[in-house]
Amino acid sequence: MAGVQFGELPFLKHDYEVASCAYSPNGESLAVGLADGTISVYATSNWEGSWTTKGHSKNVVAIAYSPQGDLIVSGSDDSTVRLWDVATGVCHHVFTGHSESVHCVAYSPQGDSVASCSFDKTIRLWDVETGDCRHVLSGHTDRVNMVVYSLKGNTMASCSEDGTVRLWNATTGACRYTLSGHTQRVTGITFSPQGALVASASWDTTVRIWEVDSGKCRHVLTGSSRIECAIFSPKGNQLASGDWDGTLRLWDVETGTCIHTLSSRFVVLTVAYSPQGDQVASSGYGNIVQLWDTESGECRHTLTGHVERVNKILYPPKGGHLASASRDGTVRLWNMGAGTTSRVVSSDHTGGVLSILYSSKRHQTASCSEDRTIRLWDAETGTTLHTLTGHAGHVLNLKYSPHEDHIVSYSSDLTIRLWDVESRTCCHVFSGHNDWVNDVDFSPYGDQVASASLDTTIRLWSVETGACQHVLTGHQSTVNVVAYSPRGYQVASGSQDGVVRLWNVETGECQYTLTDHTDDIKSIVYSPSGHQIVSGSEDGTARLWDVETGTCSQVFHHGDRTYISKVVFSPQGHLMASGEWSGKVKLWDVGTGQCRHTLNGHVKRVETIAFSPRGNLIFSSSVDGEARLWDTETGVCRWT
């Protein structure tokens, strides 16, 4: 990375999703947390790696520097908090005590303590010197999403999915105020630079500004959809909030009025002000980063290059550039925009193509067929790279592992096979179902495979050993489909009994039973955020479900006597595509429930639909033996 000039689009490439990142207080280093539990630190002078280490066993969800910049604290889905030496990469302490995922970590301004919050509904305060837990702050009745210190360090704020914000005495751990008013989960909180105010963002479409000393609500700022994030400007006179409908709003903190309403077209998950406060950056599911002028509200730049959602954006303390961390495994350093690329594939199976998948990391497409083979394609030229053989019957479906180094397939020969993509060999043959397998899915970490069968059960398999870890029972008929949630804690299954069930992966217990469909469930998929599920049924509808409540929030009607064979979200989550037994593919707006395009071309059942990473293309395959590439903007078929 030495000699990089901004405007050249340099980036730091990783093999796993970049889940968190943070600049040191002096801006001389950048720490990155990855989905596989790895932490890497880079020197910003030349962007060379200082060190990389792996201590966490799961996703590093949160990372923060000490005020002095000599230590890093990290929080993980493995329920631990770790303290690292910035100079050497040595782990000083492992803080244990949380029983579920650690969602956020924060250093006190004095640097002597660390706060962590967890899905176990608690906040814990840790002594940096001894590693001891000073206090366990209890009171929230649901997952705690975020914890922050005030500028002086005497007060802490936390927010929860229980809809409340709590202010705590950072020394004693006592709760000073419970701030009530939000009617849905609170997703983010931030102190004003002066520490007199705290702002909270909620899914109830509002941001509330509270007085820290009195606990009173000063302003209620109303958006147009779920609000994921809010942040004060460096001077504290302005606040930016991001909505799920793609709206970025800039607010006057003194009056509570909206200064600018800015449209980004995609779900806004993260916002950041430049150190000078003259610019605000926004990003999220659109895979783009947009830079806005805070005075005029004009979009200065739209930065493209990421191929999956952006998890976080941040400016270094002195400004000069912007860093964005993405699910695509890259950290990009921005000053100006960049171009985009496209990919195509072709088909020459000798039987019907039953499934097709795109690999963004390998620039390959994998397809399986009635001809008993799996083919790997060059996504740019469309030529066949490899043909995998071993199944003795039709290969009904296949899935890439999250790291795209393995493929799992199942066949009418009653077997499930795990393939190594690099060596093109079969690693395991999973056996245990006593009837046909209908569907398989990888866990987000790639360490487990779930399978659904005609024998009415779901089985969870170890990728490493090939052993069966759980047998999930409860459906009254054939289980057609199975899918993991994005965080891997839950598995959803759909059955011929017309029921969708949500299962706890660790215990194997059924958490929810969703019963609004009146016929077979043929397809099921989680939204990219994991908060929603779409199910497609032979009752002619696709239904959008809220995972937290188990309620149906949207019904997509295909028509009477129209069987839905496949549903899938776009990577940005704002579109949903559904395929019919008749061969039609429909493209839906998730927010409005309106059908954007009906894609006509296939003449038989649609087996698979896959969006390209940017969401601008759709691959579809059918038992008519054809694979088709569609443009999502125009609905035009580019090739067959």
Side-chain angles (χ1 to χ4, degrees), residues 390-391 407-410 413 415-419 426 428-430:
H391 283 296
I407 290 174
V408 65
S409 61
Y410 63 90
D413 64 9
T415 68
I416 304 168
R417 288 178 178 262
L418 186 70
W419 308 86
C426 182
H428 294 297
V429 178
F430 301 133

Side-chain angles (χ1 to χ4, degrees), residues 331-615:
V331 177
R332 290 182 178 265
L333 313 173
W334 302 99
N335 189 42
M336 298 178 66
T340 60
T341 59
S342 62
R343 298 285 185 261
V344 296
V345 299
S346 63
S347 173
D348 61 0
H349 280 291
T350 58
V353 180
L354 302 182
S355 184
I356 188 168
L357 292 174
Y358 179 78
S359 168
S360 59
K361 294 179 181 178
R362 295 177 178 270
H363 303 295
Q364 291 180 358
T365 297
S367 58
C368 65
S369 169
E370 292 177 345
D371 64 10
R372 306 181 182 184
T373 69
I374 298 166
R375 293 178 184 265
L376 305 183
W377 312 87
D378 185 295
E380 186 170 352
T381 65
T383 57
T384 302
L385 300 175
H386 306 293
T387 301
L388 310 180
T389 60
H391 283 296
H394 297 173
V395 185
L396 304 175
N397 206 348
L398 74 168
K399 297 281 178 73
Y400 272 107
S401 66
H403 315 314
E404 299 180 5
D405 54 346
H406 289 95
I407 290 174
V408 65
S409 61
Y410 63 90
S411 167
S412 60
D413 64 9
L414 308 187
T415 68
I416 304 168
R417 288 178 178 262
L418 186 70
W419 308 86
D420 185 289
V421 175
E422 193 67 32
S423 66
R424 304 181 297 281
T425 58
C426 182
C427 306
H428 294 297
V429 178
F430 301 133
S431 60
H433 286 297
N434 56 33
D435 210 330
W436 277 34
V437 175
N438 287 326
D439 194 23
V440 293
D441 195 24
F442 272 102
S443 68
Y445 299 107
D447 59 340
Q448 194 177 73
V449 168
S451 58
S453 172
L454 268 72
D455 65 11
T456 75
T457 70
I458 302 101
R459 286 179 176 259
L460 306 184
W461 309 89
S462 170
V463 167
E464 183 177 1
T465 66
C468 180
Q469 296 172 314
H470 286 295
V471 180
L472 312 180
T473 60
H475 283 295
Q476 301 303 305
S477 188
T478 296
V479 185
N480 295 322
V481 286
V482 65
Y484 281 92
S485 65
R487 300 294 289 274
Y489 297 119
Q490 193 179 74
V491 162
S493 59
S495 169
Q496 190 174 330
D497 61 15
V499 172
V500 176
R501 288 178 177 264
L502 306 184
W503 308 85
N504 183 296
V505 169
E506 185 175 354
T507 64
E509 296 177 355
C510 183
Q511 296 173 311
Y512 293 102
T513 302
L514 315 179
T515 59
D516 286 1
H517 282 296
T518 59
D519 210 331
D520 278 18
I521 311 296
K522 289 298 186 183
S523 183
I524 192 166
V525 64
Y526 281 87
S527 66
S529 67
H531 299 303
Q532 295 170 313
I533 289 175
V534 163
S535 55
S537 170
E538 289 191 353
D539 65 9
T541 68
R543 292 179 178 266
L544 185 69
W545 307 87
D546 187 292
V547 171
E548 294 296 325
T549 63
T551 58
C552 180
S553 58
Q554 193 76 263
V555 182
F556 307 95
H557 291 279
H558 273 250
D560 294 338
R561 300 180 181 178
T562 302
Y563 293 169
I564 298 175
S565 56
K566 190 68 177 179
V567 292
V568 62
F569 276 101
S570 67
Q572 297 79 23
H574 68 298
L575 299 177
M576 188 273 288
S578 54
E580 300 179 1
W581 279 56
S582 67
K584 292 180 181 179
V585 177
K586 287 182 179 285
L587 189 64
W588 305 86
D589 186 298
V590 172
T592 65
Q594 298 299 309
C595 181
R596 287 192 177 185
H597 298 292
T598 299
L599 312 179
N600 294 302
H602 293 299
V603 295
K604 292 184 179 180
R605 183 176 71 246
V606 176
E607 282 294 320
T608 296
I609 309 170
F611 280 89
S612 65
R614 291 182 58 79

Side-chain angles (χ1 to χ4, degrees), residues 135-162:
H135 300 289
V136 179
L137 313 183
S138 301
H140 285 296
T141 59
D142 208 332
R143 295 175 176 178
V144 185
N145 291 323
M146 194 171 182
V147 61
V148 291
Y149 279 93
S150 64
L151 183 64
K152 295 181 180 179
N154 58 332
T155 302
M156 294 166 47
S158 61
C159 65
S160 168
E161 301 204 4
D162 64 11

Side-chain angles (χ1 to χ4, degrees), residues 6 23-30 44 47 273-276 314-323:
F6 292 111
Y23 276 103
S24 63
N26 60 11
E28 294 180 359
S29 67
L30 175 75
T44 57
W47 295 107
Y273 276 95
S274 64
Q276 297 76 26
L314 68 163
Y315 288 88
K318 297 179 182 179
H321 65 273
L322 174 76

